[in-house]
Amino acid sequence: MRGFPQVYRSIFAQPILLILLFSGQLVAAEKEDIIAIETKIADLISRMTVAEKIGQMTQVNGAEGSIPKRLNEAVKVGRIGSVLNEVHIETVNELQRIAVEESRLGIPLLIGRDVIHGFKTVLPIPLGQAASFDPELVRRGARMAAQEAASAGINWAFAPMIDVTRDPRWGRIAESLGEDSYLTGVLGAAMVEGFQGDDLALPGAIASCPKHFAGYGASESGRDYNTTNIPENELRNVYLPPFKAAIDAGAQTLMASFSDLNGVPATGNRFLMKQVLRDEWQFDGFVVSDWASIEQLSIHGFTANDRESAFAAFTAGVNMEMATSTYANHLPGFLEAGRVNVEQLDALVADILRVKIRLGLFENPYTDPGQFPPIANPGHLEIARQAALESIVLLENRNRVLPLNIKSIKSLAVIGPMADDPYEQLGTWIFDGDISLSQTPLQAMREFVGDQAEISHVRVMAHTRTRSREGFAEAVKAAGAADAVVMFLGEESILSGEAHSRADISLPGNQAELVNAMHETGKPVIVVIQAGRPLTLQNILDKVDAVLFAWHPGTMGGPAINDILFGVESPSGKLPATFPRMVGQVPIYYAHKKTGKPPTPETYVHIDDIPIRQKQLSSGFVSHHLDAGFTPQYAFGYGLSYTEFSYSDIGVSDNEIPMGESVTVSARVSNTGMVEADEVVQLYVRDLVGNVTRPVRELKGFERVRLKPGESRRISFVLGPEDLAFFGQEMKLITEPGEFHVWIGGSSEAVLRSQFTLINPEAQNKEI
Ligand code: NOJ
């Protein structure tokens, strides 16, 4: 392509742009936009030195409110393209001023930050938000977070985290959207839209960065940064679709994972970065490494030294290096030695400039906080409250102990370390979260109850890991004097998140003993758990009357929990991840394969029922654990309500569907209980026979509906060809003729089933 003017080189380097320009998909103005952007990129690149180009590929950590001389100099000479972790608005504006006014080419900086679940106003942890099954609310939450972050000069959020994970031991499950590929894709796309707004160039729109590409959620044994081994078929069917969905929603950047994927660390993985991301998906944004993940290629044992790490990441297509300087140190040498050429360098730089131009940074590099809605304004707090409300899952409610009746309860004992802890309710990744904004459950309950009932609060344990029994006696006394006990238990924020994996995922410290002590008082015991992951609860379940799982619910967790406790609202959250009975069952997830020996309740044999010295056989057995069975404690999609919903009258638009056409599946959902409430109606599909075996069920649609007592509604889902497709043995997306089962209900254990057959005798394994 030498000899072509720069602008054409830039366009030709991006097949997606070519396709768009020559397809009928774009109107003239959009084509003009593309040409204008590519012309600007080409112009800049034609004037950049090699050092300036590498500068654009370099991201450094900020100095938290100051600009050390080295940083000032580096920005001035164009050796830096992005700064992370700088949120002081004066400093950010000054950095932009140096970049725009003092550097030779005036290229503005990307200012990146981990805006994971809110900024100053903290939303529930992403896993909690996923429990809402409410994409619109999730989108509004990300929009709110983007506005607050943008008011501090941030123009790039390292979110959403869309690593599918089936391991609650992994600390980063808190940051994830759970175990399901479809749910993660829908909610991840909603977050991308929320961060980026309708127009990237408008104030308050910030670039999103879906992460970690790819497979990080499969870290062996849930230990962070651990190896992942994911067969390509599983990768394509489960782990990659959320990234595709995020890119289709307009995501501008991706972050490469720390992890080793099938022997090739993601940061140097050409299959991921080139074949999948660029060739198959035609991604035209850019990829940033994770923190020092280029340097770590040699620690993995994938490269011999930093120089070769830089080469591996560069040739795999990682555009920007976070925190370390292997690119700055070694790329010039590669160019001089002819190991890489300038076209390769230009293509990687062009991707970064494209995002900066789309963000409108060249026109508006500075931030005026006054042009944004105030931080934590009532609208923001309302979004945080609604997100917390919809995230809370009612796991148990024996004898309808909940909701508490304010008219009949005259005294409550509020017990435990999480009742009044403004910090711990916020969860992991709250770099900027404002603790002073937190409204705790105890505060909210006191305000709600006023003088209608007495509340005695005993914290008992300093934190969730406390092992002493000091304080138990006082708690027992308070419980003895109360009509009911509400316990606030869980995990502190620091027990989940990056590098905070656990092998034992039960309630830490002396919390189970505390539950026991409360149980022995004979009073109704309601447990509210705030945690960053699914927990094993077997050691407390038979001692409590109700369990509310509130995740780490964020700034407005208190009022949301209070509203549910007192029945102002009915709980409506549904589990985005399976809760195991015992940690030894992990991985346990709903979309598993059937196996050749599927278990049933009839064939299950408990360890205690096996006769001593029973003769060992090798037939007639099924797949289960002798001591844990084969079912989870709580299934994906599960969550109780204060009302009852019944499902009936499932139907499909046709029993035989020609391949390539859509089928509509519908069922009637009725509120047969006593209170108005939301229900998350879920659609599951099973493709009975596949050229690679298909999961026993896969979520393919969901809708949150609100029904009054006695009200019923028919809910319909349209399944298009892409919903029925999967990657087969040839790693192509195919649909196959054959029978499909469909279920509609309130969890992945829904029983109301219908079926249809996909027909096309001529076209086996048709590629779509
Ligand atoms: C490492 C984490 O893995 C990543 O998710 C985060 O965005 C970066 N550090 C920057 O803080």
Side-chain angles (χ1 to χ4, degrees), residues 120-273:
K120 299 277 182 205
T121 308
V122 179
L123 297 157
I125 54 169
L127 189 61
Q129 291 182 56
S132 75
F133 281 66
D134 189 340
E136 176 53 21
L137 183 60
V138 166
R139 193 189 59 73
R140 283 168 58 213
R143 187 87 288 272
M144 176 273 279
Q147 296 265 359
E148 290 196 356
S151 75
I154 291 160
N155 51 36
W156 184 18
F158 301 132
M161 199 271 230
I162 50 174
D163 294 311
V164 170
T165 183
R166 289 153 170 191
D167 199 326
R169 294 170 297 185
W170 192 43
R172 301 197 81 167
I173 192 172
E175 294 172 54
S176 83
L177 297 165
E179 77 180 37
D180 187 59
S181 188
Y182 176 80
L183 181 65
T184 299
V186 172
L187 299 183
M191 284 188 177
V192 167
E193 287 165 8
F195 284 123
Q196 298 192 169
D198 296 332
D199 180 349
L200 261 182
L202 289 179
I206 66 180
S208 66
C209 184
K211 64 190 187 183
H212 304 81
F213 195 61
Y216 189 23
S219 292
E220 281 180 358
S221 80
R223 190 153 59 85
D224 205 5
Y225 315 126
N226 208 0
T227 304
T228 73
N229 277 300
I230 311 173
E232 184 179 339
N233 192 266
E234 185 82 347
L235 192 68
R236 289 185 178 277
N237 280 316
V238 176
Y239 292 87
L240 293 182
F243 286 93
K244 179 71 168 60
I247 288 170
D248 289 346
Q252 293 296 305
T253 75
L254 289 187
M255 188 184 294
S257 174
F258 284 129
S259 44
D260 175 332
L261 175 66
N262 302 331
V264 181
T267 301
N269 195 309
R270 290 189 206 185
F271 164 74
L272 282 177
M273 308 281 177

Side-chain angles (χ1 to χ4, degrees), residues 427-635:
T428 184
W429 283 117
I430 47 137
F431 282 176
D432 304 289
D434 184 345
I435 296 149
S436 72
L437 294 172
S438 286
Q439 299 188 22
T440 70
L442 181 67
Q443 288 165 355
M445 289 170 81
R446 287 219 156 110
E447 196 177 310
F448 181 82
V449 164
D451 53 15
Q452 296 187 68
E454 203 179 308
I455 291 183
S456 54
H457 170 229
V458 190
R459 186 176 174 119
V460 189
M461 304 164 72
H463 47 76
T464 65
R465 285 169 285 163
T466 303
R467 292 197 190 280
S468 108
R469 291 178 69 92
E470 211 182 307
F472 272 41
E474 197 192 340
V476 168
K477 195 166 157 221
D483 296 329
V485 182
V486 186
M487 302 187 71
F488 286 89
L489 307 175
E491 289 179 323
E492 299 142 62
S493 296
I494 198 62
L495 296 186
S496 58
E498 186 176 348
H500 288 77
S501 298
R502 297 178 63 203
D504 171 0
I505 54 169
S506 61
L507 285 166
N510 248 352
Q511 296 184 87
E513 287 79 352
L514 185 59
V515 171
N516 209 14
M518 294 299 100
H519 170 66
E520 281 171 1
T521 66
K523 298 296 168 79
V525 177
I526 294 133
V527 172
V528 181
I529 296 176
Q530 296 171 68
R533 58 162 62 77
L535 298 177
T536 50
L537 300 171
Q538 277 212 319
N539 57 352
I540 64 159
L541 283 180
D542 60 352
K543 305 190 181 87
V544 302
D545 297 283
V547 181
L548 279 177
F549 209 87
W551 318 99
H552 287 128
T555 301
M556 296 299 283
I561 290 171
N562 177 79
D563 282 0
I564 298 238
L565 282 173
F566 287 98
V568 178
E569 263 299 335
S570 174
S572 59
K574 300 281 187 168
L575 295 180
T578 303
F579 275 45
R581 295 173 192 278
M582 300 181 199
V583 77
Q585 291 181 294
V586 173
I588 179 167
Y589 49 94
Y590 86 94
H592 59 82
K593 298 291 183 72
K594 190 147 188 184
T595 81
K597 296 181 181 234
T600 61
E602 295 72 41
T603 49
Y604 170 54
V605 182
H606 188 268
I607 190 162
D608 294 341
D609 298 334
I610 303 170
I612 302 298
R613 298 213 168 181
Q614 187 193 34
K615 195 162 175 276
Q616 169 78 47
L617 301 170
S618 93
S619 67
F621 294 140
V622 295
S623 172
H624 63 230
H625 288 113
L626 293 178
D627 43 5
F630 56 91
T631 57
Q633 188 72 54
Y634 302 112

